[in-house]
C-alpha cells in the first residue's frame, strides 16, 4: 500500500495509507530518501508505533498552553510555578519549535546551559518539559519524548542542618510570645510552614495531645496566597504532640478566641499567620 512518484516540481512523493486507511504523503528531493521514509513508516505500522507526522507540527508554546489549561488537577501554587517555568525557561527557547522537530540534542544543550547557572530551576524546568512531551506521546502527536538527558530532572536536595535542642530552645525564647507555638509545632510535630499557618484552633486537641493537619497556607508564585488542602492525600494526617510542648500550646490557646468565624474557617490571628508570612 505504498508508492513513490515524481512530481512536476521534480521532487519525489512517498505515499502510504495510515492505520485508519487514509492516504498520506511526504515529499523529498531524492528518490532514495522517499524510499527510506516508506521503509521507516512501514516498520512503524507493522509494530504499532506509527504516528502521523503532521500531528507533531504544533509549536511547543501552543501545545504547552493547552496542556496547562487542561490540567484541572493542579494546585494553584503548582499551576503558578509551571506558568512561571514556561514563561521564563521553556517558551523563550522552545516556544516556536514544532513538537516533532524538537531534537534530544537541543534539549540536552538547553538543560546543560541552564543547569550550570541554576541547578534546581534546570531540573524543575526539565521535569515540566518531560511531562508535557509525555502527554504529546500519549496523544500520538510524536513517537517519542525528546527528553533523554541521563540523570536530568532528579530531585537533588542537600542535607539540611538540624537544630539542637538548645538551639531550638533559644529560637523559642527569642520569638515574641504569640509566635512561639509556631516554632514548637514545626520542630516537635514536623509541620511545614504552610501547614502551621493553615491551622485553626479546632485542629489542636490538647486532651489527646494531637494536632490535625487538613489544610495549608499556599502562596502561588505571582498570585494571591490561599488556604487549601495538603498537596497529597498523605499530607492529611494526625500527629502526636510531645508532652514538653503541651504547656506552651495550652498557654497559647488560652489567648485565642473560642468562637467566631476564624475558629472554623481561617486561622485566627493568634495562630501566627501575619508575622510568619514575611
Amino acid at each position: 500500500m505504498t508508492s513513490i512518484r515524481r512530481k512536476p516540481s521534480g521532487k519525489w512523493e512517498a505515499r502510504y495509507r495510515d492505520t485508519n486507511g487514509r492516504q498520506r504523503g511526504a515529499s523529498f528531493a531524492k528518490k532514495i530518501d522517499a524510499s527510506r521514509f516508506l521503509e521507516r513508516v512501514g516498520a512503524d505500522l507493522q509494530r504499532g508505533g506509527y504516528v502521523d507526522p503532521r500531528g507533531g507540527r504544533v509549536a511547543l508554546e501552543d501545545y504547552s498552553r493547552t496542556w496547562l489549561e487542561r490540567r484541572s488537577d493542579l494546585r494553584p501554587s503548582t499551576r503558578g510555578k509551571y506558568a512561571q517555568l514556561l514563561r521564563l525557561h521553556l517558551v523563550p527557547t522552545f516556544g516556536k519549535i514544532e513538537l516533532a522537530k524538537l531534537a534530544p540534542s537541543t534539549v540536552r544543550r538547553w538543560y546543560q546551559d541552564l543547569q550550570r547557572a541554576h541547578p534546581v530551576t534546570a531540573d524543575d524546568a526539565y521535569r515540566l518539559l518531560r511531562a508535557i512531551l509525555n502527554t504529546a506521546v500519549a496523544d500520538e502527536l510524536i513517537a517519542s519524548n525528546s527528553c533523554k538527558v541521563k540523570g536530568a530532572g532528579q530531585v537533588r536536595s542537600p542535607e539540611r542542618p538540624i537544630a539542637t535542642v538548645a538551639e531550638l530552645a533559644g529560637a523559642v525564647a527569642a520569638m515574641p510570645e504569640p509566635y512561639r507555638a509556631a516554632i514548637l509545632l514545626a520542630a516537635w510535630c514536623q509541620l511545614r510552614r504552610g501547614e502551621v499557618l493553615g491551622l485553626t484552633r479546632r485542629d489542636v486537641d490538647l486532651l489527646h495531645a494531637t494536632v490535625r493537619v487538613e489544610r495549608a497556607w499556599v502562596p502561588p508564585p505571582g498570585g494571591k496566597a490561599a488556604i487549601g488542602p495538603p498537596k497529597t492525600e498523605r499530607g492529611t494526617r494526625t500527629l502526636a504532640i510531645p508532652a514538653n510542648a503541651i504547656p506552651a500550646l495550652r498557654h497559647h490557646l488560652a489567648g485565642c478566641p473560642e468562637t467566631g468565624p476564624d475558629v472554623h474557617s481561617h486561622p485566627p490571628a493568634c495562630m501566627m499567620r501575619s508575622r510568619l508570612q514575611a
Side-chain angles (χ1 to χ4, degrees):
M1 301 298 291
T2 63
S3 64
I4 298 177
R5 72 179 183 91
R6 192 165 192 174
K7 301 169 66 174
S9 63
K11 291 187 175 182
W12 295 89
E13 183 181 39
R15 301 184 67 82
Y16 64 95
R17 291 190 181 277
D18 64 16
T19 52
N20 296 316
R22 291 174 295 189
Q23 195 169 61
R24 303 295 190 188
S27 298
F28 301 89
K30 298 179 180 180
K31 185 176 182 179
I32 185 64
D33 293 333
S35 179
R36 289 170 177 168
F37 170 76
L38 289 179
E39 290 177 1
R40 292 195 300 270
V41 170
D44 291 340
L45 288 169
Q46 286 291 330
R47 68 171 185 264
Y50 170 77
V51 174
D52 185 353
R54 295 182 301 179
R57 291 178 183 173
V58 59
L60 186 132
E61 179 178 9
D62 298 329
Y63 185 78
S64 61
R65 184 185 302 113
T66 302
W67 181 89
L68 188 58
E69 290 173 352
R70 293 179 178 176
R71 287 294 304 273
S72 58
D73 58 315
L74 297 178
R75 290 165 57 93
S77 58
T78 303
R79 182 177 300 278
K81 179 180 179 179
Y82 284 176
Q84 187 177 62
L85 289 172
L86 283 168
R87 184 178 69 256
L88 298 179
H89 302 291
L90 295 183
V91 170
T93 303
F94 307 118
K96 303 304 179 183
I97 300 178
E98 296 177 357
L99 297 179
K101 295 181 180 179
L102 182 57
S105 58
T106 303
V107 175
R108 184 177 296 105
R109 286 194 299 270
W110 160 80
Y111 172 76
Q112 291 172 344
D113 290 342
L114 184 58
Q115 206 272 340
R116 280 192 288 268
H118 307 286
V120 176
T121 299
D123 285 322
D124 288 344
Y126 182 88
R127 285 194 297 272
L128 175 58
L129 177 61
R130 184 172 57 194
I132 293 172
L133 295 181
N134 277 338
T135 304
V137 172
D139 289 343
E140 298 185 354
L141 299 179
I142 53 177
S144 62
N145 195 321
S146 299
C147 292
K148 302 179 184 295
V149 183
K150 187 176 181 179
Q154 297 180 358
V155 178
R156 301 178 179 87
S157 298
E159 185 175 355
R160 299 178 180 179
I162 300 176
T164 65
V165 174
E167 290 171 336
L168 175 60
V172 172
M175 289 290 288
E177 186 172 326
Y179 312 115
R180 292 175 181 174
I183 305 299
L184 293 170
L185 288 169
W188 295 115
C189 298
Q190 299 184 2
L191 297 186
R192 300 177 179 87
R193 183 182 71 157
E195 293 172 341
V196 172
L197 297 176
L199 290 175
T200 63
R201 182 188 179 91
R202 63 180 179 179
D203 298 321
V204 181
D205 184 351
L206 294 182
L207 178 62
H208 299 94
T210 61
V211 58
R212 179 68 178 171
V213 179
E214 293 183 337
R215 65 197 68 79
W217 177 82
V218 183
K224 184 179 179 180
I227 297 292
K231 191 171 185 178
T232 64
E233 291 184 3
R234 295 180 62 182
T236 300
R237 61 203 189 279
T238 300
L239 301 168
I241 302 174
N244 62 309
I246 293 295
L249 286 174
R250 180 177 290 110
H251 176 75
H252 176 83
L253 291 177
C256 292
E258 296 186 8
T259 60
D262 282 344
V263 176
H264 301 289
S265 57
H266 301 291
C270 62
M271 289 307 277
M272 306 80 71
R273 189 147 45 121
S274 60
R275 178 67 62 89
L276 294 180
Q277 286 178 3

